[in-house]
Amino acid sequence: MSARAFHHGNLRAEILGHARATLREAGEEGLSLRQLARDAGVSHAAPRRHFPERQDLLNALAEQGFDELTASIAEQLDRAGGDRVTAFRAVARSYIDFAIRDGALMTLMFSAKNGTAAVGVSAAADRFFAAVGTIVAAVVPSPSAPAPSGVLSDALRAQLLLASTLHGIASLLCAGRLDASQVDELIDGVGQLFGVGAQPAVK
Amino acid sequence: MSARAFHHGNLRAEILGHARATLREAGEEGLSLRQLARDAGVSHAAPRRHFPERQDLLNALAEQGFDELTASIAEQLDRAGGDRVTAFRAVARSYIDFAIRDGALMTLMFSAKNGTAAVGVSAAADRFFAAVGTIVAAVVPSPSAPAPSGVLSDALRAQLLLASTLHGIASLLCAGRLDASQVDELIDGVGQLFGVGAQPAVK
DNA sequence: ACCTGAACACCGTTCAAGT
DNA sequence: ACCTGAACACCGTTCAAGT
C-alpha cells in the first residue's frame, strides 16, 4: 500500500488520539487542526472530511469523554456489589480521578458554547446524567426530610445536589483551588451529608 | 485635546470594559486584542502597554471578576443582619446569579492554566475563598458529626464542601445541565444539608 | 511614557483540482 | 470518497520608529 493510503479509514481515530494527548499536555488552546494534520502526516485540509470545523473536533472529544466517564462510574457501581458506602466512594473517586487526569477534557465536556451543546455531545451528556441518576437511586437512602412544595421530587433533588457537589469538587480541583490530598476526606464528608456515611466501626 | 490623546490614562479601563461586554456576548474565544484596539480607536499594538499578552487581559478580567463576586457575597451577608437562613440564601443566590449573568467570566476565573494562576488572579481568588470561609463560619452551625481522623478541621471541611456544592451548581448552570428554575429549590436543599434549613413555619 | 506601522509566523476556513 | 495545494482573512507577538 502507498504511504498516502495509510490513513484510509482511521485518520479520524488517529487525529482524535493525538488531540486527546495534546489536550492533556497543552489544554484546549493548544489544539490546532493544522498541527494535528502535520502529526498525522496529511495535508492541513485533510481533517476537514472528519471535522469540518475546529468545534467539531472539540465536540467529538467531549462526546468521547462523556462516554468514558459514564462507563467508568457504571463499572464502579457494578464492582461494589451492593455495599452502598463502598459503591458511593468508588463512584465518587472515579469521577474525581477523571477530573484530575483529564481536567482540560472535563472542562471541554461541560463548556456549552452559548448555552447549547451540539447534539452528539448533548446526547452523551444525557446518558451520563442518566447513569448518575441510576447510581444515586441505588446508593443514597431516601431523604429524611420531605421535599418542600417545589417542582422537583425528593429523588431528583438528591440526584442534582449530589451531582452538583461532586462536580464542584472536580471543578475546584481542576482550577487548583482544592488539593488532591483533601479529596478522600471531602468524599467522606459528602457521603455523610447524603446519608452514605462511613461506618464508625470501620475506624 | 487631540483625538489621539483621548485615551491617555484610561485606555486600560476602556479595553477592560469592552472586553467584559465581548466576554458576555461571544465568550472567551471571541476576545481579540486587535478587535479591542479597533473598538478603542487605537492601533493594534497600543494595548500592549497594558496587556503584553492576551493572557494578561484574561487575568485582569478574572481578577476583576473575583473582586466583584467577593464584594457581592460580603454585601449580602451584611444585609441579612444576623438571620442565618436569610443570609445563606442571599449569599448562595448572589453567587449563582453571578454565574448566570457572567458564565464566561466565571469559567475564566476558575480556569487555571496548567494548574497555576497568575499572582494577581491567585491573590484575588484567595480573597474570595477567605470571604467564603468567613461567611460559612457565620452561617453554618458546627457540624453534628465529628470529623474523622483526617487533616481537615470540621470547619474547613464544611467550608470546602459548601463552596464545592455552590460552585458545582453554578458550573452546571453555565454548562446548561441545570435550569434556572431549579435553583431556588436546590439552594434550599443545600441549606437543609448543611443545617441552614428553611423554617417549616414559613411554609 | 505612549502610540504607530510594518513585519513574521501561525491559524481556521474555503475551494478548485487531483486520484 | 478522500486528499492536495493555493488562497483569504484573521490573529498574537515583536520591533524600530515617531511624538
Side-chain angles (χ1 to χ4, degrees):
Chain A
M1 70 179 130
S2 77
R4 294 261 293 282
F6 176 68
H7 287 298
H8 269 42
N10 67 346
L11 178 57
R12 186 188 146 97
E14 173 151 353
I15 288 175
L16 270 179
H18 273 286
R20 180 71 175 269
T22 304
L23 195 55
R24 274 215 186 96
E25 294 158 14
E28 185 208 303
E29 67 274 10
L31 283 175
S32 148
L33 285 176
R34 290 179 101 113
Q35 181 61 52
L36 290 167
R38 264 176 250 130
D39 293 341
V42 294
S43 84
H44 67 266
R48 189 162 197 274
R49 291 284 138 190
H50 308 284
F51 310 105
E53 300 188 356
R54 196 183 111 101
Q55 186 61 50
D56 296 315
L57 170 68
L58 302 183
N59 290 342
L61 287 167
E63 190 174 337
Q64 181 181 270
F66 270 120
D67 286 340
E68 283 180 23
L69 183 55
T70 303
S72 171
I73 60 175
E75 185 195 348
Q76 296 303 320
L77 180 66
D78 275 358
R79 268 180 145 143
D83 184 292
R84 288 180 156 180
V85 174
T86 305
F88 168 74
R89 278 181 170 164
V91 168
R93 255 272 155 226
S94 179
Y95 190 165
I96 288 168
D97 282 348
F98 184 89
I100 293 174
R101 205 180 333 118
D102 279 303
L105 178 56
M106 191 106 185
T107 301
L108 212 58
M109 289 157 57
F110 288 93
S111 77
K113 305 290 174 189
N114 311 322
T116 47
V119 287
V121 179
S122 192
D126 288 344
R127 291 193 292 276
F128 168 68
F129 280 98
V132 170
T134 303
I135 290 171
V136 172
V139 162
V140 174
S142 31
S144 51
S149 57
V151 290
L152 304 178
S153 72
D154 282 11
L156 183 53
R157 241 173 35 135
Q159 172 186 335
L160 295 179
L161 282 176
L162 186 45
S164 296
T165 304
L166 291 181
H167 189 68
I169 293 173
S171 293
L172 291 180
L173 268 167
C174 292
R177 303 304 317 177
L178 284 177
D179 192 83
S181 70
Q182 305 173 308
V183 168
D184 279 327
E185 236 183 303
L186 289 178
I187 290 179
D188 278 351
V190 177
Q192 285 173 22
L193 285 178
F194 285 88
V196 207
Q199 302 304 323
V202 174
K203 178 174 169 255
Chain B
M1 74 180 125
S2 77
R4 292 260 294 285
F6 176 70
H7 288 298
H8 268 42
N10 66 345
L11 178 57
R12 186 190 146 96
E14 173 151 354
I15 288 175
L16 270 179
H18 273 285
R20 180 71 176 267
T22 304
L23 194 56
R24 275 214 185 95
E25 294 158 14
E28 184 207 306
E29 67 274 8
L31 283 176
S32 149
L33 285 177
R34 290 180 100 112
Q35 181 61 52
L36 290 167
R38 265 177 250 129
D39 292 343
V42 294
S43 84
H44 67 266
R48 188 161 197 275
R49 290 284 139 190
H50 307 283
F51 309 105
E53 299 190 358
R54 195 184 113 102
Q55 186 62 50
D56 296 316
L57 171 67
L58 302 183
N59 289 342
L61 287 167
E63 191 175 337
Q64 179 181 271
F66 269 120
D67 285 340
E68 284 181 22
L69 183 54
T70 303
S72 171
I73 60 175
E75 185 193 348
Q76 296 303 320
L77 179 67
D78 274 359
R79 268 178 145 143
D83 184 292
R84 287 181 159 178
V85 175
T86 304
F88 167 74
R89 278 181 169 164
V91 168
R93 255 273 155 227
S94 178
Y95 191 165
I96 289 169
D97 282 347
F98 184 88
I100 294 174
R101 204 180 333 117
D102 279 303
L105 178 57
M106 190 105 183
T107 301
L108 212 58
M109 287 157 56
F110 288 93
S111 77
K113 306 289 172 189
N114 310 322
T116 46
V119 287
V121 179
S122 191
D126 287 344
R127 291 192 294 273
F128 168 68
F129 279 98
V132 169
T134 303
I135 289 170
V136 172
V139 162
V140 174
S142 33
S144 51
S149 57
V151 289
L152 304 177
S153 71
D154 282 13
L156 182 55
R157 242 176 33 138
Q159 172 186 337
L160 295 178
L161 282 176
L162 185 45
S164 296
T165 305
L166 291 180
H167 189 69
I169 293 174
S171 292
L172 292 180
L173 268 166
C174 291
R177 304 304 318 177
L178 284 177
D179 193 83
S181 70
Q182 304 172 311
V183 168
D184 279 327
E185 236 184 303
L186 289 178
I187 290 179
D188 278 351
V190 177
Q192 285 173 21
L193 286 177
F194 285 88
V196 207
Q199 301 305 323
V202 175
K203 177 169 166 257

